[in-house]
Amino acid sequence: MSGAVRTGVRRTGRRRLLGVLALAAILLVPAQIPSATAATGAGTAAVPPPPAKSVVTWAASADRMGEAAGDRSYRLIVRTSVGGTGLRVRVSNAFGDRPLVIGSAYAGLRESGARLRPGSNKKLRFDGSASVTLAPGEIRYSDPLPGRVAAMSDLALSLYVRDAGGPATGHGMALATSYATSGDHAARERDEAYTERLGSWFYLDAVTVDPDGGAGAVVTLGDSITDGWQSTTDKNLRWPDFLARRLHASAGSTVKGVANAGISGNQVLADGAAQSALKRLDRDVLSLPGVRTVFLFEGVNDIKAHTGVTAASLTAGYREIIDRSHAAGLCVVGATVMPFKGWSEWDPPGEAVRAEVNEWIRTSGEVDAVVDFDKVVRSPYDAERIMPTFDNGDHLHPNDKGMQAMADSVALKSLECDRDASLSR
């Protein structure tokens, strides 16, 4: 399935974004694009500047979870993409409405289950302190740990939450088993205390390292397909995981970090399943350290929601994401929206919007490169359906084989885009 990527040609004259947004508002009032600067409330606090040399090696976009509880330890299992020294974690109270007190935090290497490799569990500090209090909405980086962490390692990040209440912050659909228990067991390397299994991550939204050789990262901004829904749990078979393995094995690639910014049910334009992509872009994508490229793959939830979203309003939302990413010095790879005929919300008007949106992605020249996921997964017998070999059965989400085909179709060179060169075209 290789060769599904082509380099986009940037137009020398871009239509003014405000004009596009105004047109979208005239065409369809319910699909007006929310202003990123006007966003208020939980989840909109400023993110601290990233450490100077760090590159994100793992991430999971934060969302509002259920009621928080204190005096609990979480052992959160995550997989690195790029290796390096100076590991830091980013802890988040983005959706909290009261202070969050992390009494202790540790980082170790997972041996199996909740058990750690003996001698690997190291205490994390925050500005030299073993504990940290996060105000409502606050996000903090830990101090760097000495030593090296290898790429493709299973890390166990253990957080003892001493005091918490109100909405918890986390990532609901981890598709990876983590663990929890009452009391402070963060320093423990054995697993006896961690009797509760979790399918979510709590209070942790990124891990960074200082990589060798100036490696950079790509962030995959998406919905449930990027989040990995219907891929096999605990096997790291989301399409960004397959991409991370390809980048790790590629001697010629300088992009090695992969940060997954997918949230199940997410939309470009509207809040609902988490904040819209437009609202969460700064926190979940642009603030992550060492990012060179944004991989934009959203839109199917906007289309199938039956809220009257048009191709004009959705592509206007894409333009805002592209413009803000470009303003941050990042390249943007755009992926076409995949077919979903057979899903309960499919209808011919929505299919017409999908076709128009995909034509815009392929031909507008707004993005720096295009990945045609639509062509990769669609059936040769019905282009409005996912190929049965790749369909998990709901006709929207690919299975493990489909996830791999998606990742295999990405030309790794497209992630190495030189933004300065793009601007000169």
Side-chain angles (χ1 to χ4, degrees):
M1 294 294 178
S2 61
V5 181
R6 67 171 178 80
T7 301
V9 179
R10 299 264 312 140
R11 296 181 303 184
T12 55
R14 181 191 293 267
R15 285 175 292 176
R16 295 188 59 177
L17 179 61
L18 290 178
V20 174
L21 298 185
L23 174 61
I26 292 169
L27 290 172
L28 184 66
V29 172
Q32 286 179 354
I33 295 177
S35 168
T37 57
T40 58
T44 59
V47 181
K53 297 188 297 180
S54 285
V55 170
V56 61
T57 187
W58 174 89
S61 297
D63 195 7
R64 179 176 176 141
M65 304 284 282
E67 188 75 11
D71 192 31
R72 281 176 64 76
S73 293
Y74 297 90
R75 178 150 291 169
L76 308 171
I77 309 302
V78 306
R79 172 68 64 90
T80 64
S81 53
V82 59
T85 59
L87 179 141
R88 302 174 188 257
V89 303
R90 198 171 86 167
V91 290
S92 176
N93 192 24
F95 292 86
D97 61 8
R98 64 199 71 184
L100 167 72
V101 181
I102 298 177
S104 61
Y106 285 77
L109 296 173
R110 193 261 288 269
E111 188 169 85
S112 65
R115 183 185 297 270
L116 306 187
R117 189 177 301 173
S120 70
N121 208 26
K122 306 298 182 185
K123 182 187 286 289
L124 290 163
R125 296 186 180 274
F126 299 83
D127 294 328
S129 175
S131 65
V132 62
T133 299
L134 278 68
E138 187 175 7
I139 297 170
R140 292 279 296 274
Y141 282 98
S142 72
D143 301 337
L145 275 180
R148 175 173 294 278
V149 176
M152 305 295 148
S153 295
D154 282 348
L155 294 181
L157 289 312
S158 302
L159 307 177
Y160 170 57
V161 176
R162 181 186 300 157
D163 190 17
T169 295
H171 186 86
M173 193 178 75
L175 292 174
T177 303
S178 291
Y179 306 88
T181 187
S182 298
D184 184 1
H185 298 276
R188 251 180 217 244
E189 294 185 334
R190 297 179 66 84
D191 58 358
E192 289 88 348
Y194 287 93
T195 56
E196 182 180 345
R197 289 172 173 257
L198 303 174
S200 303
W201 291 299
F202 287 87
Y203 305 113
L204 174 75
D205 76 346
V207 180
T208 75
V209 295
D210 298 342
D212 297 327
V218 56
V219 183
T220 57
L221 176 61
D223 48 42
S224 58
I225 299 174
T226 297
D227 210 6
W229 177 239
Q230 294 294 344
S231 67
T232 304
T233 298
D234 287 327
K235 296 294 185 180
N236 296 300
L237 298 179
R238 313 163 192 86
W239 75 262
D241 298 323
F242 282 110
L243 179 61
R245 286 190 278 274
R246 287 189 63 209
L247 289 167
H248 175 64
S250 172
S253 178
T254 63
V255 172
K256 297 293 186 182
V258 177
N260 190 329
I263 295 183
S264 183
N266 199 225
Q267 297 181 44
V268 173
L269 303 176
D271 292 348
Q275 293 174 326
S276 70
L278 288 168
K279 281 188 182 176
R280 67 188 186 91
L281 180 68
D282 287 348
R283 181 189 64 241
D284 292 351
V285 178
L286 303 185
S287 72
L288 294 172
V291 175
R292 295 182 186 167
T293 301
V294 179
F295 197 111
L296 174 57
F297 176 45
E298 288 221 37
V300 69
N301 289 320
D302 299 77
I303 293 169
K304 69 183 181 61
H306 298 298
T307 57
V309 168
T310 65
S313 58
L314 185 52
T315 56
Y318 288 158
R319 280 196 186 94
E320 182 177 336
I321 292 172
I322 294 164
D323 285 346
R324 287 163 60 191
S325 299
H326 283 166
L330 308 182
C331 291
V332 181
V333 173
T336 50
V337 181
M338 298 192 331
F340 64 101
K341 187 176 182 180
W343 179 264
S344 61
E345 295 167 295
W346 184 91
D347 61 14
E351 179 62 26
V353 172
R354 187 180 76 89
E356 189 175 347
V357 166
N358 282 350
E359 184 65 14
W360 182 91
I361 293 169
R362 293 181 182 115
T363 64
S364 69
E366 296 281 353
V367 292
D368 300 290
V370 173
V371 176
D372 208 336
F373 281 162
D374 170 45
K375 287 186 177 179
V376 171
V377 305
R378 73 190 185 197
S379 170
Y381 309 106
D382 185 347
E384 296 172 351
R385 291 182 179 269
I386 295 180
M387 190 183 307
T389 306
F390 295 153
D391 189 348
N392 82 70
D394 68 10
H395 313 301
L396 173 65
H397 299 94
N399 56 23
D400 294 344
K401 184 179 290 188
M403 293 281 185
Q404 182 169 7
M406 292 166 65
D408 285 350
S409 75
V410 178
L412 300 187
K413 272 291 185 183
S414 70
L415 307 179
E416 303 280 341
C417 168
D418 183 341
R419 184 69 197 131
D420 292 335
S422 296
L423 286 170
S424 68
R425 289 202 293 265

